[in-house]
Every structure is written in structure tokens, then in C-alpha cells.
Amino acid sequence: MTEILLAGESWSSTSLLVKGRDVSMGTDYTEPADRLVEALESIGASVTHQPADVALREFPRSKAALDQYDLVLLSDIGAQTLLLTPQVSAGETDVNRCKLLGEWVADGGALGMLGGYTSFAGEHGAAGYARTELADVLPVEIAHHDDRVETPEGATPVNRGIEELPEEWPHVLGYNALTADADAQVLATVREDPLVVVGDHGEGTTLAYATDCAPHWAPEAFLEWEHLPKLWDALLDRLV
């Protein structure tokens, strides 16, 4: 069984309701990883999900801890959440978990990043992975600026190298604009930009999946696509 650690795919939001001089506050918490987890479990994988606030505290801090997994997926979780551990926030030194991930991949691990507003460069570049060691590990060039591309009219991905899947896939509503490394393999594109890219780093393997695994970038038509488990089955076969 393939053991997968999925970190991210959660957020909380706070809102103010103002009625003249009367103000009330509301909060909301969302974990939209269920469709991805379902797809992975349907092909026999075991998924441990660490929402972003949990990953802040509990994401692996040693190679031994990472070795419990065959694949680590980072999804909509910014570099600061990995770098600024509670120990660092308290003014202490701690492990650089981006650097640790890179070393683990070089030794034979598998790492993937899924797209979103806090993936790759992300909104206003705030995801910040271009300034980390993972910029040299993932199979793509990550921008230092906002890399989001919104396609509200729908953009159709085109299969470039997964034999089990049709040529065209259900539309997506956005993605992170990436540039594939020269030695990487582009398995799918959208508007001629790389959408799914796999590569090697040292003894390990890497994945860049430029769109989201949940709305809004991944609409229901994509999440309910009958071939979605086949897509992940093919990716796991390549990665692990």
C-alpha cells in the first residue's frame, strides 16, 4: 500500500457583519481535501491528512519521520508554514523543513505540489517557494511574482503523455503558471502551459500539478470525472 502524507488544503476565515452601530463576528473553517483523498484511497493508497494548522506543528522534522511515507503532497500550504515552526517563532533554531524535504527526495523520496493560492508562488507571490530549497527540487521553475491564471470561462487540459486517459480532460477554472525544467516530462498542458509535470531529483521523483484539487479551480465536472482515479493511479505509478 502506498503511504501518502497530504499537507495543507484547509483554511479558516473571519467575517464582520455590520448593521449600523451593531457589529458581530463570524468564523468559518474549511477542509476541502476529501475529493482528493477519495480518489487516492480508491486506488489503494493510504492518506494521512495534515491540515495547514496541524502541519505547522506536526509536519515531519526528520528523515526518519518522512520515511514513514512513500509520497508527500503539499497542497495550498505556503512555505512560511513549513519554515516558521513554533520554535522559530519563539526565537529558537529549528530544522528547515523545506531543505529537509529536498534532502529526503534526493535520497529516494517522492514529493508533489498541487496548485492553489498558496502553492508555488501563489497570490502576490506570498506562497514563496521560489525562495526555498524546493525551487531546485520540483520539476518546474517557480515565479517570484503572482503566478495565478484565472480562466472563468473554462480552460481544457490536453493529455500529453498518459496513455490511460483521453486526449482532452474536463475544464479547469484556473492554475499556477509554471515553466517545466528542461529534463522534466510534461504529461498535460492547459493553454500551452504545463499542467502536470514529473521529474527526478537525485534518487527521488517529483510532481508539479498546477491546478487545485478542489473548487474553485477544480470544478465539479473535474472532481466527478470518471478518469480522475486513473490519473492519480498513473501519477503514483510514475512517482513511487
Side-chain angles (χ1 to χ4, degrees):
M1 179 178 291
T2 302
E3 297 288 341
I4 299 174
L5 173 61
L6 170 63
E9 279 305 314
S10 72
W11 61 84
S12 59
S13 57
T14 302
S15 60
L16 292 176
L17 180 62
V18 181
K19 299 179 178 179
R21 294 186 181 276
D22 299 297
V23 180
S24 61
M25 179 179 294
T27 60
D28 187 41
Y29 178 75
T30 305
E31 283 185 17
D34 55 329
R35 309 295 279 278
L36 173 61
V37 172
E38 288 174 8
L40 292 169
E41 290 181 341
S42 74
I43 56 175
S46 175
V47 182
T48 298
H49 179 212
Q50 288 186 350
D53 59 306
V54 176
L56 172 66
R57 304 183 304 272
E58 300 181 9
F59 190 86
R61 296 164 63 208
S62 70
K63 289 183 182 179
L66 286 169
D67 281 340
Q68 298 179 47
Y69 305 101
D70 301 298
L71 171 65
V72 172
L73 292 176
L74 304 177
S75 184
D76 240 341
I77 180 171
Q80 288 192 98
T81 300
L82 297 181
L83 296 173
L84 302 184
T85 66
Q87 291 84 348
V88 173
S89 295
E92 304 170 9
T93 60
D94 198 7
V95 63
N96 180 328
R97 294 188 290 193
C98 288
K99 182 179 180 181
L100 173 67
L101 270 174
E103 293 171 347
W104 178 71
V105 172
D107 288 342
L111 171 67
M113 183 174 290
L114 281 64
Y117 274 40
T118 45
S119 296
F120 301 105
E123 186 175 14
H124 308 309
Y129 283 102
R131 299 182 295 275
T132 74
E133 287 80 3
L134 294 186
D136 295 324
V137 175
L138 293 168
V140 291
E141 180 181 342
I142 302 173
H144 287 269
H145 52 77
D146 196 318
D147 63 354
R148 296 170 300 155
V149 178
E150 301 290 346
T151 58
E153 75 281 20
T156 302
V158 177
N159 184 359
R160 302 291 185 183
I162 303 178
E163 295 180 359
E164 302 91 330
L165 300 182
E167 180 180 358
E168 292 190 350
W169 302 354
H171 69 267
V172 297
L173 297 178
Y175 59 94
N176 298 93
L178 306 170
T179 301
D181 291 344
D183 57 352
Q185 183 181 10
V186 178
L187 298 180
T189 58
V190 59
R191 288 186 169 180
E192 303 302 322
D193 288 325
L195 183 71
V196 180
V197 185
V198 293
D200 300 311
H201 179 75
E203 299 297 320
T205 52
T206 58
L207 163 71
Y209 183 98
T211 196
D212 210 331
C213 62
H216 70 281
W217 279 359
E220 285 300 311
F222 195 95
L223 297 175
E224 294 178 357
W225 185 33
E226 61 178 332
H227 295 297
L228 186 61
K230 291 182 181 179
L231 168 59
W232 280 106
D233 195 29
L235 294 177
L236 292 191
D237 188 54
R238 170 65 176 80
L239 293 167
V240 302

